[in-house]
Amino acid sequence: MGRFELPHSYFSMLQSLYSLLPMFGLIGHPTSLEHAQATADFLGFSEYSSMDLDFWCGAPPFIADEIKVTSVTGDQIEGRYVESCFIPEMLATRRMKAATRKILNAMAHAQKHGLNITALGGFSSIIFENFELSQIKQVRNMTLEFDRFTTGNTHTAYIIARQVEQASKQLGIDLGKATIAVCGATGDIGSAVCRWLNKKLDVAEILLVARNKERLEALQAELGRGKIMGLEEALPEADIVVWVASMPQGVQIDGDRLKKPCLMIDGGYPKNMGNKIQMDGVYVLNGGIVEHSLDIDWRIMETVDIPHRQLFACFAESMLLEFEKWYGSFSWGRNMITLEKMEMIGGASVKHGFKPLLLPL
Amino acid sequence: MPQLEATLELDFQSDIYKDAYSRINAIVIEGEEEAYANYNQLSTLMPKDAEELVKLAKMEFKHKKGFEACGKNLNVSPDMGFAREFFAALHGNFQSAAAEGKIVTCLLIQSLIIECFAIAAYNIYIPVADAFARKITEGVVKDEYMHLNYGEEWLKANFDTARAELEEANKVNLPLVWSMLNQVADDAKKLGMEREAMVEDFMIAYGEALANIGFTTRDIMRMSSYGLAAV
């Protein structure tokens, strides 16, 4: 009897079914020009490894990686990493049009590839919000469907809140007696973290630090508590500092003025606090980072020095939404994150095996 | 976070604008003329598809008339001598390929490179165009996507046999597109169009076309790098 062969049409059918498989997306970017050049080399595109900022300003988005994630429940999903070719130096050199074009083009690319739910990682969601890109729905011949995207901020806020709770225990800081300064308190993530600290944890004092006075007062009114303070004034009083402000150039912090012990949760982007403050009694924890219980099959993250199990919580949000088939913008807009949604995504996070990153004590 | 710089105010009647427009408008008119002639020529090389190709050619002719009207509307005389010179190298490559019956190379030049170039330039132009030209360009760009699709479909169906020739034709012709973009960068800027935005849009359209035909991301990255040789 001859070998059983499937007709060619069967494979075409499988192929078309495969293309219909649900997939999540991550929009990411290099952390610097140097990182972009190294990544190009790593991915085998050596032609691009010597290219300067001008080149990246005109570079199109592309799918840089195919990702497979397995949940502790046994479920498996697949995703795509969309490299937007945005580089933080574009903001520093005021190439704003290039920066915004990168984000919109990457979103159009994700949508064109049929990705159900895509997280805007790194600076992507910050640029989207700050430049009000929601006004630009048309990208060439494509109308962007914003409900296919999520900022991932709900999961990031949830993870940071859990990091406060769990890492403070690691250091023996009693939250009931502790003062927590939230820097960037009025932002999307900051305000959500404040809501959690206020309602879900027994925290002695919350210090609200941000630039906009009106927004601070509105947040204080909403919480019904919290002291509004300047950064310099707040830092020496805090047992825990939650840093969720995003500044391309970062900020200088004098470690001598901090309490000892002090837990600094660096939830900003880019994360550079660990290099800046190295002092006994000051513990810097990368905020908004999760650890998965199982290895994730991807190559792209090898370029950012984080192991196969660690990832940004915002990226993990799109994975969780894909696992749960919760399509639609789970996190979108500013100050829309409720405790209920944080609990919901937190439940999914635990269910599928993601854990907040803690101190390596 | 800094804000987006205010959009450049354009004075469509200023001498600076009209001077730049005389060359850009001519390039567009010449581009449509080339496309009209190229599709007609392809119809003789591809008799099975002749009817469709002649239809595409007619559409390009209509576009040419539309863009001529845009120039007249601004009282600008297109510098056709400049435009013919601008397209000379690409025109020459198409003619040599047609003479040798190299359909794949002809399709790469016309249906991929010229169409993607047009799509990129028109998409970047639309938001900064005068009201008359905007309406015309919006209509044209819809047609151009259709033309790109024709080339893509044919090359996709013949990918196995066309692949090597496509790679070679890309290597020869893509650097020309870059030098063409560089030549018009200053004039385009006076019309509110940025070179890097055009490069990006061209690479998006061209990369998507190559992907639809059957090339992998890795192939596309490698093939795209030939454009850089001209920078």
Side-chain angles (χ1 to χ4, degrees), chain B residues 83-128:
Chain B
R84 277 188 281 274
E85 187 60 32
F86 180 79
F87 274 102
L90 213 50
H91 176 85
N93 286 357
F94 184 93
Q95 290 308 322
S96 318
E100 291 176 53
K102 286 178 146 180
I103 291 173
V104 171
T105 302
C106 289
L107 282 176
L108 178 117
I109 294 174
Q110 175 54 48
S111 291
L112 302 189
I113 288 187
I114 296 183
E115 296 296 356
C116 289
F117 189 69
I119 285 171
Y122 297 163
N123 274 324
I124 302 295
Y125 176 55
I126 286 168
V128 291

Side-chain angles (χ1 to χ4, degrees), chain A residues 86-228:
Chain A
F86 163 80
I87 296 177
E89 281 92 333
M90 290 174 192
L91 295 179
T93 55
R94 301 192 60 83
R95 310 277 287 258
M96 304 307 169
K97 281 185 185 164
T100 53
R101 217 171 46 235
K102 299 288 143 195
I103 306 311
L104 289 168
N105 282 336
M107 290 172 77
H109 199 68
Q111 189 172 317
K112 203 156 217 171
H113 280 78
L115 305 181
N116 295 314
I117 185 75
T118 297
L120 304 179
F123 272 118
S124 314
S125 60
I126 301 165
I127 292 169
F128 190 91
E129 281 298 317
N130 279 281
F131 293 114
E132 298 177 356
L133 299 186
S134 57
Q135 293 172 10
I136 306 172
K137 280 197 167 168
Q138 197 65 30
V139 178
R140 294 178 293 281
N141 59 341
M142 172 176 276
T143 307
L144 286 179
E145 295 162 12
F146 292 142
D147 60 359
R148 286 171 175 265
F149 299 92
T150 185
T151 61
N153 285 351
T154 311
H155 192 226
T156 301
Y158 165 81
I159 289 297
I160 289 174
R162 298 307 303 266
Q163 285 178 307
V164 169
E165 190 183 342
Q166 295 174 18
S168 62
K169 270 196 196 128
Q170 283 184 295
L171 295 178
I173 297 173
D174 177 1
L175 287 182
K177 294 176 188 159
T179 297
I180 303 183
V182 181
C183 304
T186 58
D188 198 33
I189 297 171
S191 58
V193 170
C194 287
R195 281 179 206 116
W196 188 279
L197 298 180
N198 184 35
K199 284 277 170 71
K200 306 279 289 185
L201 300 176
D202 178 24
V203 177
E205 186 86 73
I206 304 174
L207 310 180
L208 308 174
V209 182
R211 279 170 300 182
N212 187 304
K213 194 162 172 277
E214 273 175 36
R215 285 190 193 151
L216 277 168
E217 284 168 356
L219 178 66
Q220 190 184 41
E222 181 201 325
L223 299 172
R225 65 181 287 195
K227 268 192 202 165
I228 296 174

Side-chain angles (χ1 to χ4, degrees), chain A residues 43 45 47-48 55 57-60 94-98 101-102 105 112 126 130-131 140-141, chain B residues 1-5 123 145 194 196-197 199-201 203-204 208 217-218 221-222 224-225 228:
Chain A
L43 293 173
F45 305 135
E47 302 90 336
Y48 300 97
F55 165 78
C57 285
R94 301 192 60 83
R95 310 277 287 258
M96 304 307 169
K97 281 185 185 164
R101 217 171 46 235
K102 299 288 143 195
N105 282 336
K112 203 156 217 171
I126 301 165
N130 279 281
F131 293 114
R140 294 178 293 281
N141 59 341
Chain B
M1 178 76 58
Q3 296 304 301
L4 267 181
E5 57 265 57
N123 274 324
Y145 275 110
E194 287 182 44
E196 67 186 32
V199 169
E200 187 168 339
D201 264 35
M203 292 314 298
I204 288 170
E208 281 175 0
T217 302
R218 188 161 293 276
M221 297 288 282
R222 189 172 39 80
S224 302
S225 72
L228 304 172

Side-chain angles (χ1 to χ4, degrees), chain A residues 123 126 211 231 243-251 268-270 272, chain B residues 1:
Chain A
F123 272 118
I126 301 165
R211 279 170 300 182
L231 179 65
W243 187 268
V244 278
S246 279
M247 295 183 187
Q249 279 87 22
V251 72
Y269 191 87
N272 45 22
Chain B
M1 178 76 58

Side-chain angles (χ1 to χ4, degrees), chain B residues 52-106:
Chain B
E52 189 167 1
L53 287 161
V54 169
K55 206 166 87 187
L56 297 183
K58 280 183 183 159
M59 286 163 97
E60 303 290 15
F61 191 75
K62 200 180 85 187
H63 299 163
K64 179 186 150 186
K65 292 284 166 203
F67 288 123
E68 282 173 346
C70 293
K72 281 196 192 101
N73 180 55
L74 291 181
N75 287 319
V76 170
S77 305
D79 184 346
M80 296 312 296
F82 172 82
R84 277 188 281 274
E85 187 60 32
F86 180 79
F87 274 102
L90 213 50
H91 176 85
N93 286 357
F94 184 93
Q95 290 308 322
S96 318
E100 291 176 53
K102 286 178 146 180
I103 291 173
V104 171
T105 302
C106 289

